[in-house]
Amino acid sequence: DGGITQSPKYLFRKEGQNVTLSCEQNLNHDAMYWYRQDPGQGLRLIYYSQIVNDFQKGDIAEGYSVSREKKESFPLTVTSAQKNPTAFYLCASTGQYSYNEQFFGPGTRLTVL
Amino acid sequence: GIQVEQSPPDLILQEGANSTLRCNFSDSVNNLQWFHQNPWGQLINLFYIPSGTKQNGRLSATTVATERYSLLYISSSQTTDSGVYFCAVSGNTGGFKTIFGAGTRLFVKA
């Protein structure tokens, strides 16, 4: 089955530690995205990547970093510089055009203790 | 950038009732989608509808691109329709950047 997988589903970390969230897709999509969702709020764009080895900052990129070494993978690192990292993180992907339909993974809930 | 406003912010329905959710956007778009976020957080694609009208079972959607709004209709609502409904757009000049509205939180009572 084609789709987007995110792991782990739940993640707990101590304050000050970097943590990397995984996102993999087998839809052969070119573009991939990371969003953050806080309780009761909408989605905010962290980073997006249109092609391999290229990515752009979204609206709330500070304290986050990404890489896009393979078409299928777009990992997100939440660094210790992110002041409020506890949130629900969603990964998405679309085809090669900006007007293509976007599909989402199941999300990772990160809690920083 | 494009602004997306959804209304109403919250909606409580009795099972079996109909409802209309609205999404207004501030600029021309090349992509508009409606999503349902279930209680586990999963975003489920409902409609990809940059213009025109589509129907899928009890749900239908209409986008009037020239007037910059989209409507999501839910008929004969069921308790499983509860959750948050998001509208998301990408603009003709924004490239791949997608903007989400704040969502409409729907609760359907049995």
Side-chain angles (χ1 to χ4, degrees), chain B residues 1 34 58 62 75 78 97 103 106-107:
Chain B
W34 284 97
R58 297 180 296 103
T62 295
S75 63
Q78 301 176 357
K97 193 171 181 179
L106 173 64
F107 179 67

Side-chain angles (χ1 to χ4, degrees), chain B residues 1-105:
Chain B
I2 296 178
Q3 305 296 314
V4 180
E5 293 184 358
Q6 292 187 242
S7 59
D10 298 281
L11 187 58
I12 300 174
L13 298 175
Q14 192 66 44
E15 196 170 28
N18 302 329
S19 63
T20 301
L21 282 58
R22 187 176 181 103
C23 172
N24 291 334
F25 43 96
S26 61
D27 203 346
S28 59
V29 298
N30 59 16
N31 183 358
L32 188 145
Q33 290 185 246
W34 284 97
F35 296 91
H36 175 217
Q37 188 169 38
N38 64 22
W40 296 271
Q42 175 76 54
L43 276 161
I44 299 163
N45 292 42
L46 296 178
F47 293 102
Y48 168 73
I49 187 167
S51 64
T53 298
K54 291 186 177 180
Q55 180 157 7
N56 184 4
R58 297 180 296 103
L59 302 181
S60 64
T62 295
T63 297
V64 183
T66 54
E67 297 186 21
R68 298 182 184 169
Y69 73 88
S70 183
L71 302 173
L72 177 68
Y73 305 96
I74 303 174
S75 63
S76 304
S77 58
Q78 301 176 357
T79 56
T80 52
D81 294 332
S82 297
V84 184
Y85 290 81
F86 288 106
C87 169
V89 306
S90 58
N92 290 324
T93 56
F96 281 75
K97 193 171 181 179
T98 303
I99 308 299
F100 277 73
T104 292
R105 286 156 187 77

Side-chain angles (χ1 to χ4, degrees), chain A residues 9 31 33 35 37 39-45 48-50 57-59 88 90 94-107 109, chain B residues 30-33 35 37-48 50 84 86 88 90-92 94-103 105:
Chain A
K9 191 171 183 178
Y33 306 75
Y35 295 90
Q37 186 178 31
Q41 305 296 313
L43 278 68
R44 293 185 290 170
L45 183 63
Y48 62 103
S49 167
Q50 296 175 223
K57 293 182 179 180
D59 298 316
F88 186 48
L90 287 154
T94 64
Q96 67 179 113
Y97 300 110
S98 62
Y99 52 77
N100 288 145
E101 190 172 0
Q102 190 164 147
F103 295 89
F104 280 81
R109 294 192 185 276
Chain B
N30 59 16
N31 183 358
L32 188 145
Q33 290 185 246
F35 296 91
Q37 188 169 38
N38 64 22
W40 296 271
Q42 175 76 54
L43 276 161
I44 299 163
N45 292 42
L46 296 178
F47 293 102
Y48 168 73
V84 184
F86 288 106
S90 58
N92 290 324
F96 281 75
K97 193 171 181 179
T98 303
I99 308 299
F100 277 73
R105 286 156 187 77

